[in-house]
Amino acid sequence: MRDQITAVRAINVALGVWLFVSAFAWQHAYAQFTNAWVCGVLCTAFAVMALWVSAARHLNTALGIWVVLSAWVLPSTSTLSVWNSVITGIAIFAVSLLPAVDVTTTPTNAPRG
């Protein structure tokens, strides 16, 4: 794996892990349960892929849109599941639009001293 992980891809990895874990954290309708863990795995995989191929982050852009839409398209048994999908999907979408910024890079115009 790369020596230097980028902050925005790490956030998308964390969101993917959260989406996966949330599938098991409380009761979901079967479709929402399956959607949450599958999308969590995909989000994490796409974020890791984007470490090497920057354009792969756009896969998470599409996934974020799906996660938001799925909150209303798929049957649910819990308002918590709906809001979790909406908030997490928006976050995945937003973070995927950010270009990678290396966390170890310092600005060239930073004050020294």
Side-chain angles (χ1 to χ4, degrees):
M1 190 156 167
R2 271 172 61 165
D3 293 338
Q4 302 170 346
I5 190 167
T6 59
V8 290
R9 298 303 74 100
I11 293 169
N12 254 347
V13 167
L15 289 166
V17 169
W18 166 249
L19 197 54
F20 178 84
V21 169
S22 72
F24 302 94
W26 59 84
Q27 189 71 23
H28 289 72
Y30 182 75
Q32 283 284 357
F33 166 77
T34 303
N35 188 64
W37 77 260
V38 169
C39 289
V41 169
L42 289 174
C43 179
T44 302
F46 296 159
V48 171
M49 283 175 31
L51 292 171
W52 290 278
V53 180
S54 182
R57 67 191 170 96
H58 298 297
L59 294 169
N60 267 339
T61 305
L63 187 71
I65 293 168
W66 166 248
V67 171
V68 171
L69 291 176
S70 71
W72 290 285
V73 173
L74 300 176
S76 66
T77 58
S78 164
T79 304
L80 181 61
S81 295
V82 171
W83 280 107
N84 182 64
S85 292
V86 169
I87 292 167
T88 306
I90 290 170
I92 290 168
F93 175 81
V95 173
S96 74
L97 296 178
L98 299 173
V101 177
D102 195 339
V103 292
T104 61
T105 302
T106 56
T108 57
N109 61 353
R112 298 178 187 211

